[in-house]
Amino acid sequence: MIVVRTLSSSINTYTVTAVIDTALCVGAGGSSASIADKPIVRNAEGNLLIPGSQIKGRLRHECEKIARGLGWEICESPSPGKMVIRRENAPDKFKRREYEVSGYDETYHCLISQIFGDPVLPSRVIFDDLICTEDPENLADFLRPGVTVNRRRRTAEEKKLYFLETSPPNVSLKFEGQIHLLPNCPSYAKPLMLAGFKHIHALGGSKSAGLGWLSWENLPQFEGTEADWDFLARGRKNAAN
């Protein structure tokens, strides 16, 4: 039996704040309220937001790179068939105690899956949307034109002009939200996620065109213990063996 009161009291919640240094382009395709081909996403109150799913996906990607650099074997996301390792035919490199999860006797799960989840294992961390703290009434609509480029001919395609809706540029808009670590989230997740956040410098679309570049004003105060760092360093040691 699950006691909701006990579960909620065991969840660790942290606040994170992103400051958009340029202009943000997080699209909400299909909207008819704008002439833009890719309108910016908003919540029901009209506030600009960065979806929690985008934060989670980007952070997972950065944590995967860090874990691989430390010598750990990481499942191949986002392919569902390669994210879950069956014990009956698991490669030798995954036959390790660190990849065993209680209650999942038929599968192995890499360190990243044990934090962010996979098709079998539920995520142990929940991301809220980051909501812009500025009143929507104070933010003007901005449209940014673009054109589709033929990569082979290196020329603009005919009749391929489009418009992106973005947040106002260069006004340092703040986006704030929360991250919730469930009781069964592994302890090593904290230092790994903090390092991952520090590798994220842009979000949304058209990053190569200068959109979505940000700085973190308030990162979660994850307290990694010496045991957590020793555990993460163990990947390199086992790789050498």
Side-chain angles (χ1 to χ4, degrees):
M1 180 177 66
I2 298 176
V3 180
V4 176
R5 182 181 300 175
T6 302
L7 178 62
S8 61
S9 63
S10 301
I11 296 176
N12 294 319
T13 298
Y14 302 87
T15 299
V16 58
T17 303
V19 180
I20 303 300
D21 298 320
T22 56
L24 180 68
C25 179
V26 179
S31 173
S32 59
S34 172
I35 64 171
D37 298 283
K38 186 179 180 181
I40 196 168
V41 64
R42 304 173 185 269
N43 62 13
E45 287 73 34
N47 299 98
L48 301 178
L49 64 85
I50 302 174
S53 58
Q54 183 169 135
I55 301 293
K56 180 181 179 181
R58 183 62 189 279
L59 182 60
R60 177 175 187 141
H61 178 67
E62 296 300 332
C63 289
E64 286 178 351
K65 293 193 297 184
I66 295 170
R68 285 194 180 97
L70 292 171
W72 294 97
E73 293 295 336
I74 302 301
C75 300
E76 298 181 37
S77 63
S79 173
K82 297 180 180 180
M83 291 178 68
V84 180
I85 308 299
R86 298 288 175 181
R87 295 197 185 189
E88 58 188 20
N89 57 359
D92 290 339
K93 58 188 179 181
F94 278 99
K95 296 179 180 179
R96 295 175 51 173
R97 178 177 55 82
E98 293 89 347
Y99 297 145
E100 298 175 1
V101 178
S102 177
Y104 295 83
D105 299 331
E106 298 182 357
T107 53
Y108 289 112
H109 303 270
C110 71
L111 301 192
I112 303 303
S113 291
Q114 292 180 44
I115 302 173
F116 298 96
D118 58 34
V120 173
L121 187 68
S123 174
R124 277 87 176 274
V125 58
I126 299 173
F127 292 79
D128 291 345
D129 296 335
L130 300 188
I131 308 297
C132 181
T133 58
E134 183 65 39
D135 188 333
E137 296 295 330
N138 298 332
L139 301 177
D141 296 333
F142 277 82
L143 293 180
R144 177 170 175 141
V147 64
T148 302
V149 175
N150 186 305
R151 300 297 181 182
R152 181 176 59 85
R153 293 186 296 156
R154 300 181 181 180
T155 58
E157 295 279 12
E158 293 185 5
K159 301 181 180 180
K160 292 294 184 179
L161 176 68
Y162 60 85
F163 292 93
L164 303 176
E165 184 181 11
T166 73
S167 66
N170 306 319
V171 293
S172 298
L173 291 180
K174 294 184 179 181
F175 289 73
E176 185 174 292
Q178 293 183 321
I179 301 173
H180 312 276
L181 273 60
L182 303 185
N184 57 354
C185 187
S187 179
Y188 64 80
K190 294 181 179 180
L192 187 59
M193 290 172 60
L194 181 58
F197 266 116
K198 293 183 178 181
H199 282 76
I200 299 176
H201 304 292
L203 290 170
S206 299
K207 291 184 287 294
S208 61
L211 297 182
W213 288 82
L214 58 81
S215 56
W216 299 103
E217 181 178 90
N218 179 33
L219 282 176
Q221 297 302 307
F222 294 141
E223 297 180 359
T225 65
E226 185 175 348
D228 295 330
W229 291 110
D230 289 342
F231 176 85
L232 292 173
R234 197 183 304 166
R236 179 70 63 187
K237 180 178 179 181
N238 282 278
N241 294 337

